[in-house]
Amino acid sequence: MAEPRRLPVLFVLVAALVGALLVGRGSPATGSAAPVLPAPSSAPVTALSSSWFCAGATEYPDSIAAGQLLLENAGPRLVTGTAQLVSQNGYEMTLPVSLAPGQTTAVVEQLPGLAGSNSDHWVGAIVNLYGGMASVTQVITSAHGSASQPCATSASARWYFPYGAALRNAWDVLTLLNPYSVPAVADLSFTTDQGQEQPLAFEAVEVRADSLAVVNLGSHLRRRQHIAATVTTRSGRIVAFETELVNPPPAGAAPVGTPGAVNPVVPVPGVMLALGSTQAASSLWWPSGGEGAGETETYAIYNPSPGAAQLSLDLLPGTAANTPGSSSALSVPGNGAILVTTNDQPWALPGVAYAAHLVSTNGVPVVAARVLMAAPPATSRGLAMLLGQSRGEPMWMVSGGLSGGSSFVRSQQFLGAVWLGIVDASDVPATVSVEELSGGKLAPLSGLSALKVEPGHHVELQLPDELAGDALVVTGTRPVLIEQDWYSSLLSAGTNLAPATQLAP
Amino acid sequence: MGAERAAPAVVAVVVACHPGPWFDEVLKSWAAQDYAELSVVVALIGDDRESAARVSALLPAAHLARLPEGTGFAMAANRVLEKVDGVAHFLLCHDDVALASGAVRLLLEEAYRSNAGLTSPKFVIWDKPELLLSVGLGSDRMGVTYPLVERGELDQGQHDAVREVFVAPSGALLVRTDLWRALRGFDPVARDPGEDLDLSWRAHLAGARVVVAPQAVARHLEATRQGLRPGRPGSEMCREEHRFRELWTCYSPPGLVLVTPVAVFFAAVETVWLLLHGAARRDGGARRDAGLPLIALVRSFRRPRELWLARRHTQSLRRANDLAIWRSQSKGSARLRETVRRRLEKGHELAWVASRATAKVAARPVAPAGARSSSSAAPRRHDLPADVPRRHEVTADVPRRHAVPADTTSTATNGSSPHADGPVPGPERAGTPAPAAPATTAPGPERAGTSATASAPDSAGIAASASDTARRRAAVASPVGGVPGSHPGPGRSGPRLGWRWNLAAALVVTGLLAIGSRDVLGQALPVVGQLPSATGGVADWWHEWWSGAGTGGLVSPSYSPPGALVMAILGVISLGSAGFALHLLVFAPLLLGPLGVYVGARAFGSDRGRLAASALYAAVPVPFNAIAQGHLSGLVSYAAAPWLITAVSSLGGQAPYTFWAWGAVWPRFVAFGLGLALAAAMAPALLAVVAVIGAAMALATLLVSRDLGGSRLFVASLLIGAVAAVSLGPWALLGLRSWPAFLSVPAGGAPSGVSSVSQLLRLQSGPYGAGALAWALVAAAAIPLFIGRSWRLAWAARMWFVAAACMGLVWAGSQGRLVVPPAEVLLAPAAAALVFAVALGAAAVEVDLSGYRFGWRQFAPAFGLAAALTAVVPFLTWVGNGQWDLPSSGAEEAFPFPGTAGGDYRVLWLGSASLLPLSPQGRAGALSFGTSLDGLPLAAQLWGALGSAQSNVVAQDLSWAGSNQTTQLGHLLAPFSVRYVVVPVGEQSRAGTTGAGATGAAVTGSLTEATMSLLTVLSRQTDLVPVGLDPGYQVFANTVWLPVFSLLGSNASAAQLAGAVANSDRAAGASALQQLAPGRTAPLGVGTAGRAEFGVLTAAAADVVYASVLPGTWELSDDGHPLPARTVGAVATSWSLPAGKTTVVVARSGAAAQHAADLLLVLLWLVALLLARRSLRRGARLPFTLANLELGSPSTEVLEIDWSSVLEGHSIG
């Protein structure tokens, strides 16, 4: 036998190794994905069905947070379904719903057969729609303001709420909806301005099947200027909403933040509605932000992790003329919560509209909300809260909101403006178009097509008055984040910051 | 007379110390000298009257001098010559040196011609004067002497030029008188050996020349060294001590400054070397103890005064500086050179033998087969013609120096060391071929009737002498792989490790494995991954094999998998203990795998390599990752891979394995095929893996030697696989119809757990194998590629190709480019190939390394040892875990699945294929799924599921849910009786969550994106309710499930049912299904039985029996009358019942055919087993044709080498 050839063997093996290394380098790595915040999203146009879970409202009308469901069909097909209204005591009622293509309709959350004052009746809704491209938004109105929030499309075993307050004139209510046919048991824990708390009454809260549980935090957490809450379930999954109700402060009462104040109050009346966050994230965006005279902007940051979070809050103005502001070196201890008010900060940008970006520099995820208080001399009134978003989508549905005659019943007159805030959180510019959902189809809007959004920048669009009550579909060439705000001088309309609903094509 | 007087007188001093019979010849040689002025003084040591008488008789002119007993050669010479004066030269001689006639004259002539102070003759072997013994000695600067000619070298006049040397041996030494006087003779302290170095060095210092006059020849018996007279040769200690003493006396002070540290350094290094290698023998046969160099160094200072005086005297003589002396000495270390040279020589010899063993020898063709045997196509080994060279014979083209003396084997057989016997060949070692011993060639009846082992073509065994036949059979000729008839390979290439080493290694490995498994050995194994459940006991396994998986799966009822039969048999072997059987199934591979390596690596010849390879295979991460993830197929592959590689290798006909004629080898194919079938019953993918192994080996053969003969390896692998496939009967044939089912993976492949090339090379498919130390195995396995030669390099290439092919497949699977079996199934043969490469590396170190010049390759042993030790280190840390990361609980704890009282239901297992407790029945995106009946999957569901219309519909439903197109997945799954959806999320998630509420999104932080998305999707479904608390398994209950056999109301129209399962309109179907929710149906429990009977009272209008079973698989009869079945969307079946009370019988159709297939399988196995057994017995008696070890050409013959003698240290030449 001839001596075997060594070099060809070595060459082939080395070549195979190098080749595999080169090819392997370019292949995507598999493994755990970075957590992102799931947001309510509508089913695609070909969907068989979609389900929406709404809570945080009281029975309609004439209650402290009278609820309505705003159903919108952005798809080309008829969507049918049911809206199952449930109460906290087990009473339920199912209403058939039908949505023609492009149609918007409202379902008032009213339980006629339920005894007692409707002000005591908290209502949840489980909406099953057969068909895609439809969305459901919860709208609540009160004498001191209004708020809207897309309903949840998934339940979870864990919910976070970064902001709330329980004061003399403020009620913080968590409504837990169990859309399943088996009961769930939930535990609530809190981080307040007085430390970590876990009242016994808020442990093992039973949420019966297809029912609602209402937890008034003020019943055991009194005089808390800042409450961050975590809801976890021992069994089952639920949907959790937070409703913050603030009455006008008593005359002469010291507002929160006043040094030495014994029993402070929230200085601005209003109502806030928020769907909790199921996850914390290390990067959170608010497409639209700003503060000025009479407008107080506060970022409530909650760190549910045991490790401290190092954060940076960046304010990114829409034009290059303005210098971004950044509050570097924010630190939130483990299981802690802080409030960061931008007003009067050295890095604040008063009078400038900006997008806000909260990023965890050490990777510890957090949950955060932007809270806006508007009072004279600002033109708008009321309270609003918007949780930070982390995932962009190329298509969004913006609910008709409050200004439409169908939903804004109490006040037939909307005195204010509706704004769309759009931010591109990626590194590539996006082009965005806004279309109106009208007459069963999407109609392009002049002046709102092919809007370019630079990376890390935001665009704010004030909608014309005639569009203020219509449902809109925002389509981007790349994933963007959308926020819908309304600012009204009418107290019953108030101020509202709401996310849009993700729309799957 | 005056002219005669002009000739200088010479006095020869022959120091005789109790000489033997040879002394007469010595004396005669003196008497035969033709130099007239020669006077001989015989110095007799002790009272030796006999020698005196012999001197008187044979050399009457000689003078006798008597010296006290114990006087050494140097002292005797000194004393005698003190009394001699008036001569020009002294001639100092040993009593075992016989000078050729004229030697004295020639020495003297040359002394004068060269003006030499010391003159030495050419020494030849006493009884073989044509072989050289020495022509002077050289020395390095440390005083280490070395021969200038090859000992035993044929004297062809090649060294007959007069040459200056550094040391003139004292056997016969002509020294000028004035020089002798100046030097004061030998150093009185110096004793044999070493006195010649002392005298020569000091002569050099004094400016004298030291030459060798080769014309003068002296035969030297070396009687003391050969033990021919009482007394012992000078010890190594004495030689070393004298050497150091020379350094201290002969070097100038500056020279001492330079030399002393070097000498100390060398002594220390040599001590370390000896410590590491144990006591070694040197040329002279003296044993070198580890501490000898340093002890000798210290002892050289024992007599400081004498040392000081000697030094002062020596330095007073100095006429030449140290630089001049150095020029006459050699550079570097003579000892190191000698060590390397010996290794080189031995290596060359072994390499030559190895190459000859694999090469065609162009010699006589073997006689035609028919002339010798009627039962063989070629002549028997022991039927070789008598004139064919036998064991120690070589053919004419073999170099003479490699001819093995016939008595060499005898020496080895006696058990004594050939070195201890002395290097001087006897008269019969003349280099001419010795005749073959008759006993080795005679085909005695006991040889003809020996077992397959004995009759295997073992060159040593066949040619061994009668006295050592038994030993050789036991030591060398045992079959490879334990398979009868396999060729044992070339034998051992290195030191043989005793059985104690093997036993100790086996005990250590077994002990470590037991320690590492301590937490699970005494407990029931959890149902993790594909580990089967022991819940039902062994009886259930028999039942599953006989009855099949029932209605549990979304697949057509297939023939029972042989794996279930294997498990059932294993249960019987375990005396009915299913738990013990499972422990055997899981932990026996940990021992079977290394055992396979141990057996398979025997062919490569290195005991140390074999042991190292076995230990390394026990330490690779593959089986532990398989255990941690519950990958049963990976464990089976780990156990089978070494045996498979050995099987393919041994049947491939490549050296060192025997080339088998196809006609004689088929029993082995049957045997190996049955073995593979056994493994493939548990891991079907092995049927394909064996072909991969063969293909990779064939390709490597083509590349490494441009030899198409390697295709035989591929053909062998295919044949083995084919035999196994046939042995597995109809089940394997059905499996072949679906490649993914064949591989037990979903159609689109499965995540391999290996995401990078780095992980591949580290064999990491799970929690074990991370870290830099895991690279050590690859490093160790690479050694034979760089230092291997001959078949070792070829096999190293083949092994690396096998490893590369398997790793490449895993990599392709991880990239989604190919559907491949689970990672461990392929990584196991890759690991086996790598450790076999390690064994080859050890063989190459022992055989090939010394064939290279001194260079980087010489570090290979140290590198390999370090790499091998490093590769074992991670394993030692894994042992601490106690259960190989196997979770303490598995699917059995996922959820308390209810019994069948409420009706039979299915559990949909959904997730990564590697985590599912059953064979995937379909795939949805990156995830796989399969269903089981009434809870945990049956053991029979671990193998060979096939896709069906049902699984396609379920895949579509899951796809819809995954793309957010439905929130009512439960409705869509209801027609398939899915009551629970279980998502195994892995042990990491389990470990990462504790306490209350650890469900759902709580565990998503450690999940893959696909699993996380799946949980999100499922959490959106309004009809799926999360239940269960085990964070390792996310369980959802379907609130609208239907039993497998449901009695629906008469309002369940065919259109409703079809709409519920028809893909074209599932939206309407989903709504319709709400009418079929529990409470409106009556379950008919069938379970896993093939038949059930119910009494039914139907309404006036006909009720409907809906069954989520594939059409045609079940029959329903009413009071013995078959009812017509209706197909529901090609995925389900329904029957309309007559009104009134009736008795319904549900029975599985085609059960008889399945039972027949099961019996056929058993029959096949039995027949194959008996056939193989008989064939192997007959084959054992077959005279296997060893026509050519390399190419298998029957026209050439084999060079037979006595490997045992070669490898035990004999020099071939």
Tab-separated table of all heavy atoms in Angstrom, chain A residues 3-6 23 27 41-42 44 46-49 51 130 180-182 233 237, chain B residues 703-704 706 785 788 790 815 852 964-967 997 1019-1020 1025-1026 1036 1039:
chain	number	residue	atom	x	y	z
A	3	GLU	N	1.942	4.980	0.743
A	3	GLU	CA	1.743	5.789	1.936
A	3	GLU	C	0.540	6.706	1.727
A	3	GLU	O	0.431	7.379	0.705
A	3	GLU	CB	2.996	6.623	2.194
A	3	GLU	CG	2.928	7.460	3.459
A	3	GLU	CD	2.929	6.611	4.725
A	3	GLU	OE1	3.274	5.423	4.635
A	3	GLU	OE2	2.559	7.139	5.792
A	4	PRO	N	-0.375	6.695	2.661
A	4	PRO	CA	-1.564	7.545	2.488
A	4	PRO	C	-1.179	9.009	2.357
A	4	PRO	O	-0.170	9.466	2.891
A	4	PRO	CB	-2.353	7.295	3.778
A	4	PRO	CG	-1.850	5.998	4.289
A	4	PRO	CD	-0.428	5.906	3.879
A	5	ARG	N	-2.007	9.705	1.660
A	5	ARG	CA	-1.731	11.125	1.427
A	5	ARG	C	-2.309	11.932	2.578
A	5	ARG	O	-3.509	11.894	2.837
A	5	ARG	CB	-2.339	11.558	0.101
A	5	ARG	CG	-1.775	10.765	-1.080
A	5	ARG	CD	-2.334	11.265	-2.370
A	5	ARG	NE	-3.779	11.182	-2.392
A	5	ARG	CZ	-4.541	11.794	-3.289
A	5	ARG	NH1	-3.974	12.546	-4.201
A	5	ARG	NH2	-5.848	11.672	-3.258
A	6	ARG	N	-1.443	12.656	3.209
A	6	ARG	CA	-1.847	13.392	4.393
A	6	ARG	C	-2.462	14.748	4.038
A	6	ARG	O	-3.474	15.161	4.597
A	6	ARG	CB	-0.634	13.594	5.295
A	6	ARG	CG	-0.966	14.155	6.674
A	6	ARG	CD	0.292	14.491	7.445
A	6	ARG	NE	1.299	13.456	7.362
A	6	ARG	CZ	1.344	12.387	8.144
A	6	ARG	NH1	0.431	12.240	9.067
A	6	ARG	NH2	2.290	11.488	8.014
A	23	VAL	N	-19.993	29.924	7.145
A	23	VAL	CA	-21.435	29.874	6.919
A	23	VAL	C	-22.182	30.020	8.240
A	23	VAL	O	-23.195	30.702	8.327
A	23	VAL	CB	-21.813	28.549	6.225
A	23	VAL	CG1	-23.315	28.443	6.062
A	23	VAL	CG2	-21.133	28.471	4.872
A	27	SER	N	-25.326	32.660	9.883
A	27	SER	CA	-26.656	32.140	10.165
A	27	SER	C	-27.178	32.744	11.463
A	27	SER	O	-26.420	33.019	12.379
A	27	SER	CB	-26.599	30.626	10.282
A	27	SER	OG	-25.729	30.272	11.327
A	41	SER	N	-53.879	43.362	19.566
A	41	SER	CA	-53.763	43.350	18.112
A	41	SER	C	-54.983	42.686	17.522
A	41	SER	O	-55.530	41.730	18.080
A	41	SER	CB	-52.499	42.602	17.687
A	41	SER	OG	-52.547	41.282	18.141
A	42	SER	N	-55.378	43.187	16.398
A	42	SER	CA	-56.541	42.610	15.733
A	42	SER	C	-56.112	41.403	14.926
A	42	SER	O	-54.937	41.234	14.609
A	42	SER	CB	-57.187	43.637	14.813
A	42	SER	OG	-56.363	43.844	13.693
A	44	PRO	N	-55.907	38.985	11.610
A	44	PRO	CA	-55.767	39.300	10.191
A	44	PRO	C	-57.086	39.135	9.449
A	44	PRO	O	-58.052	38.578	9.980
A	44	PRO	CB	-54.713	38.304	9.708
A	44	PRO	CG	-54.740	37.203	10.695
A	44	PRO	CD	-55.106	37.829	11.997
A	46	THR	N	-58.083	37.294	7.171
A	46	THR	CA	-58.577	35.934	6.922
A	46	THR	C	-58.905	35.174	8.192
A	46	THR	O	-59.177	33.980	8.137
A	46	THR	CB	-57.520	35.150	6.133
A	46	THR	OG1	-56.308	35.141	6.898
A	46	THR	CG2	-57.267	35.767	4.772
A	47	ALA	N	-58.860	35.853	9.307
A	47	ALA	CA	-59.009	35.149	10.580
A	47	ALA	C	-60.387	34.527	10.717
A	47	ALA	O	-61.382	35.031	10.181
A	47	ALA	CB	-58.750	36.105	11.725
A	48	LEU	N	-60.407	33.445	11.431
A	48	LEU	CA	-61.683	32.813	11.741
A	48	LEU	C	-62.386	33.553	12.854
A	48	LEU	O	-63.589	33.739	12.830
A	48	LEU	CB	-61.450	31.368	12.166
A	48	LEU	CG	-60.733	30.468	11.179
A	48	LEU	CD1	-60.539	29.097	11.785
A	48	LEU	CD2	-61.526	30.381	9.896
A	49	SER	N	-61.612	33.942	13.848
A	49	SER	CA	-62.239	34.592	14.993
A	49	SER	C	-61.192	35.387	15.755
A	49	SER	O	-59.987	35.189	15.586
A	49	SER	CB	-62.862	33.544	15.931
A	49	SER	OG	-61.843	32.712	16.439
A	51	SER	N	-60.898	37.442	19.815
A	51	SER	CA	-61.555	37.684	21.103
A	51	SER	C	-60.932	38.902	21.760
A	51	SER	O	-59.709	39.109	21.688
A	51	SER	CB	-61.403	36.460	22.017
A	51	SER	OG	-62.029	35.349	21.439
A	130	TYR	N	-66.248	36.850	14.766
A	130	TYR	CA	-65.896	35.860	13.745
A	130	TYR	C	-65.543	36.601	12.471
A	130	TYR	O	-66.400	37.064	11.730
A	130	TYR	CB	-67.051	34.883	13.528
A	130	TYR	CG	-67.360	34.109	14.787
A	130	TYR	CD1	-68.466	34.393	15.569
A	130	TYR	CD2	-66.493	33.096	15.206
A	130	TYR	CE1	-68.721	33.693	16.736
A	130	TYR	CE2	-66.744	32.400	16.379
A	130	TYR	CZ	-67.848	32.694	17.129
A	130	TYR	OH	-68.080	32.015	18.291
A	180	TYR	N	-62.210	32.988	31.027
A	180	TYR	CA	-62.234	31.541	30.832
A	180	TYR	C	-63.280	30.894	31.727
A	180	TYR	O	-63.816	31.513	32.639
A	180	TYR	CB	-60.848	30.954	31.128
A	180	TYR	CG	-59.788	31.534	30.236
A	180	TYR	CD1	-58.863	32.437	30.730
A	180	TYR	CD2	-59.735	31.191	28.890
A	180	TYR	CE1	-57.883	32.974	29.903
A	180	TYR	CE2	-58.773	31.728	28.060
A	180	TYR	CZ	-57.842	32.618	28.572
A	180	TYR	OH	-56.906	33.156	27.757
A	181	SER	N	-63.469	29.634	31.446
A	181	SER	CA	-64.549	28.939	32.153
A	181	SER	C	-64.075	28.278	33.443
A	181	SER	O	-64.792	27.474	34.018
A	181	SER	CB	-65.153	27.879	31.232
A	181	SER	OG	-64.128	27.011	30.787
A	182	VAL	N	-62.877	28.539	33.850
A	182	VAL	CA	-62.409	28.030	35.144
A	182	VAL	C	-61.979	29.225	35.982
A	182	VAL	O	-61.498	30.230	35.454
A	182	VAL	CB	-61.233	27.054	34.975
A	182	VAL	CG1	-61.685	25.799	34.270
A	182	VAL	CG2	-60.090	27.691	34.230
A	233	THR	N	-51.199	35.452	39.065
A	233	THR	CA	-52.241	34.465	39.335
A	233	THR	C	-51.621	33.187	39.861
A	233	THR	O	-50.567	32.760	39.396
A	233	THR	CB	-53.051	34.145	38.066
A	233	THR	OG1	-52.177	33.645	37.079
A	233	THR	CG2	-53.758	35.387	37.562
A	237	ARG	N	-55.548	32.437	34.074
A	237	ARG	CA	-55.032	33.694	33.522
A	237	ARG	C	-56.172	34.705	33.473
A	237	ARG	O	-57.338	34.347	33.295
A	237	ARG	CB	-54.459	33.478	32.124
A	237	ARG	CG	-53.204	32.643	32.119
A	237	ARG	CD	-52.503	32.774	30.770
A	237	ARG	NE	-53.403	32.568	29.639
A	237	ARG	CZ	-53.741	31.389	29.164
A	237	ARG	NH1	-53.273	30.304	29.728
A	237	ARG	NH2	-54.561	31.279	28.140
B	703	LEU	N	-9.906	9.582	-0.965
B	703	LEU	CA	-9.076	10.788	-0.878
B	703	LEU	C	-7.675	10.465	-0.385
B	703	LEU	O	-6.687	11.011	-0.886
B	703	LEU	CB	-9.741	11.780	0.085
B	703	LEU	CG	-9.047	13.132	0.213
B	703	LEU	CD1	-9.208	13.923	-1.070
B	703	LEU	CD2	-9.621	13.908	1.384
B	704	VAL	N	-7.597	9.569	0.537
B	704	VAL	CA	-6.312	9.361	1.188
B	704	VAL	C	-5.401	8.443	0.368
B	704	VAL	O	-4.186	8.525	0.439
B	704	VAL	CB	-6.529	8.805	2.604
B	704	VAL	CG1	-6.782	7.318	2.587
B	704	VAL	CG2	-5.355	9.117	3.505
B	706	ARG	N	-6.502	7.273	-3.057
B	706	ARG	CA	-6.996	7.174	-4.433
B	706	ARG	C	-7.383	5.734	-4.754
B	706	ARG	O	-7.107	5.229	-5.831
B	706	ARG	CB	-5.945	7.651	-5.432
B	706	ARG	CG	-5.571	9.103	-5.278
B	706	ARG	CD	-4.461	9.442	-6.227
B	706	ARG	NE	-4.011	10.805	-6.067
B	706	ARG	CZ	-2.865	11.261	-6.570
B	706	ARG	NH1	-2.080	10.471	-7.265
B	706	ARG	NH2	-2.515	12.502	-6.382
B	785	LEU	N	-3.594	12.520	12.453
B	785	LEU	CA	-3.578	13.166	11.137
B	785	LEU	C	-2.213	13.779	10.841
B	785	LEU	O	-1.860	13.990	9.686
B	785	LEU	CB	-4.655	14.252	11.069
B	785	LEU	CG	-6.102	13.770	11.115
B	785	LEU	CD1	-7.043	14.959	11.089
B	785	LEU	CD2	-6.386	12.854	9.940
B	788	GLY	N	0.516	10.196	11.950
B	788	GLY	CA	0.218	8.833	11.551
B	788	GLY	C	0.819	8.502	10.192
B	788	GLY	O	1.053	9.378	9.350
B	790	SER	N	0.945	5.110	7.156
B	790	SER	CA	0.396	3.838	6.723
B	790	SER	C	-1.105	3.774	7.042
B	790	SER	O	-1.821	4.764	6.922
B	790	SER	CB	1.180	2.708	7.391
B	790	SER	OG	0.769	1.457	6.888
B	815	GLN	N	-29.483	24.222	10.697
B	815	GLN	CA	-29.727	25.362	9.819
B	815	GLN	C	-31.035	25.210	9.044
B	815	GLN	O	-31.367	26.065	8.223
B	815	GLN	CB	-28.578	25.506	8.822
B	815	GLN	CG	-27.213	25.688	9.470
B	815	GLN	CD	-27.119	26.987	10.232
B	815	GLN	OE1	-27.450	28.047	9.713
B	815	GLN	NE2	-26.703	26.920	11.481
B	852	TYR	N	10.088	10.025	12.425
B	852	TYR	CA	10.292	11.417	12.018
B	852	TYR	C	11.563	11.955	12.644
B	852	TYR	O	12.021	11.471	13.680
B	852	TYR	CB	9.109	12.271	12.468
B	852	TYR	CG	7.814	11.942	11.774
B	852	TYR	CD1	6.864	11.135	12.389
B	852	TYR	CD2	7.540	12.431	10.493
B	852	TYR	CE1	5.682	10.817	11.752
B	852	TYR	CE2	6.350	12.113	9.861
B	852	TYR	CZ	5.423	11.317	10.491
B	852	TYR	OH	4.257	11.017	9.859
B	964	ASN	N	-52.632	34.171	14.482
B	964	ASN	CA	-53.623	35.046	15.100
B	964	ASN	C	-54.926	35.084	14.325
B	964	ASN	O	-55.588	36.101	14.254
B	964	ASN	CB	-53.049	36.466	15.237
B	964	ASN	CG	-53.841	37.313	16.200
B	964	ASN	OD1	-54.514	36.782	17.077
B	964	ASN	ND2	-53.782	38.623	16.027
B	965	GLN	N	-55.277	33.969	13.738
B	965	GLN	CA	-56.500	33.949	12.948
B	965	GLN	C	-57.656	33.287	13.683
B	965	GLN	O	-58.722	33.135	13.107
B	965	GLN	CB	-56.252	33.239	11.613
B	965	GLN	CG	-55.187	33.952	10.787
B	965	GLN	CD	-55.213	33.530	9.344
B	965	GLN	OE1	-56.273	33.454	8.745
B	965	GLN	NE2	-54.058	33.272	8.785
B	966	THR	N	-57.394	32.888	14.881
B	966	THR	CA	-58.510	32.374	15.671
B	966	THR	C	-58.186	32.519	17.146
B	966	THR	O	-57.015	32.501	17.547
B	966	THR	CB	-58.803	30.896	15.351
B	966	THR	OG1	-59.944	30.482	16.109
B	966	THR	CG2	-57.627	30.019	15.727
B	967	THR	N	-59.202	32.681	17.899
B	967	THR	CA	-59.060	32.652	19.356
B	967	THR	C	-59.868	31.496	19.930
B	967	THR	O	-60.141	31.458	21.113
B	967	THR	CB	-59.562	33.972	19.964
B	967	THR	OG1	-60.880	34.230	19.474
B	967	THR	CG2	-58.640	35.109	19.614
B	997	GLY	N	-47.961	30.993	41.057
B	997	GLY	CA	-48.187	31.704	39.813
B	997	GLY	C	-47.139	31.473	38.766
B	997	GLY	O	-47.025	32.250	37.828
B	1019	SER	N	-52.517	31.237	24.946
B	1019	SER	CA	-53.150	32.043	25.989
B	1019	SER	C	-54.246	32.938	25.428
B	1019	SER	O	-55.074	33.448	26.174
B	1019	SER	CB	-52.091	32.905	26.681
B	1019	SER	OG	-51.598	33.866	25.778
B	1020	ARG	N	-54.243	33.115	24.141
B	1020	ARG	CA	-55.295	33.948	23.536
B	1020	ARG	C	-56.568	33.168	23.290
B	1020	ARG	O	-57.611	33.755	23.017
B	1020	ARG	CB	-54.803	34.498	22.199
B	1020	ARG	CG	-53.723	35.526	22.323
B	1020	ARG	CD	-53.236	35.897	20.960
B	1020	ARG	NE	-53.277	37.327	20.744
B	1020	ARG	CZ	-52.591	37.935	19.797
B	1020	ARG	NH1	-51.852	37.245	18.973
B	1020	ARG	NH2	-52.667	39.236	19.660
B	1025	VAL	N	-58.238	26.558	28.517
B	1025	VAL	CA	-58.096	27.063	29.876
B	1025	VAL	C	-56.779	26.570	30.456
B	1025	VAL	O	-56.512	25.371	30.436
B	1025	VAL	CB	-59.263	26.578	30.755
B	1025	VAL	CG1	-59.114	27.112	32.164
B	1025	VAL	CG2	-60.576	27.008	30.146
B	1026	PRO	N	-55.967	27.483	30.924
B	1026	PRO	CA	-54.723	27.011	31.533
B	1026	PRO	C	-55.002	26.267	32.835
B	1026	PRO	O	-55.701	26.763	33.710
B	1026	PRO	CB	-53.940	28.313	31.776
B	1026	PRO	CG	-54.982	29.371	31.835
B	1026	PRO	CD	-56.097	28.933	30.939
B	1036	PHE	N	-53.173	23.218	28.926
B	1036	PHE	CA	-54.412	23.934	28.630
B	1036	PHE	C	-55.516	22.902	28.452
B	1036	PHE	O	-55.323	21.893	27.761
B	1036	PHE	CB	-54.269	24.751	27.346
B	1036	PHE	CG	-53.195	25.798	27.422
B	1036	PHE	CD1	-51.871	25.479	27.183
B	1036	PHE	CD2	-53.509	27.114	27.730
B	1036	PHE	CE1	-50.877	26.438	27.248
B	1036	PHE	CE2	-52.515	28.081	27.802
B	1036	PHE	CZ	-51.196	27.737	27.556
B	1039	THR	N	-62.207	23.361	26.622
B	1039	THR	CA	-63.521	23.344	27.257
B	1039	THR	C	-64.603	22.790	26.334
B	1039	THR	O	-65.723	22.603	26.775
B	1039	THR	CB	-63.900	24.764	27.702
B	1039	THR	OG1	-63.875	25.626	26.565
B	1039	THR	CG2	-62.928	25.276	28.750
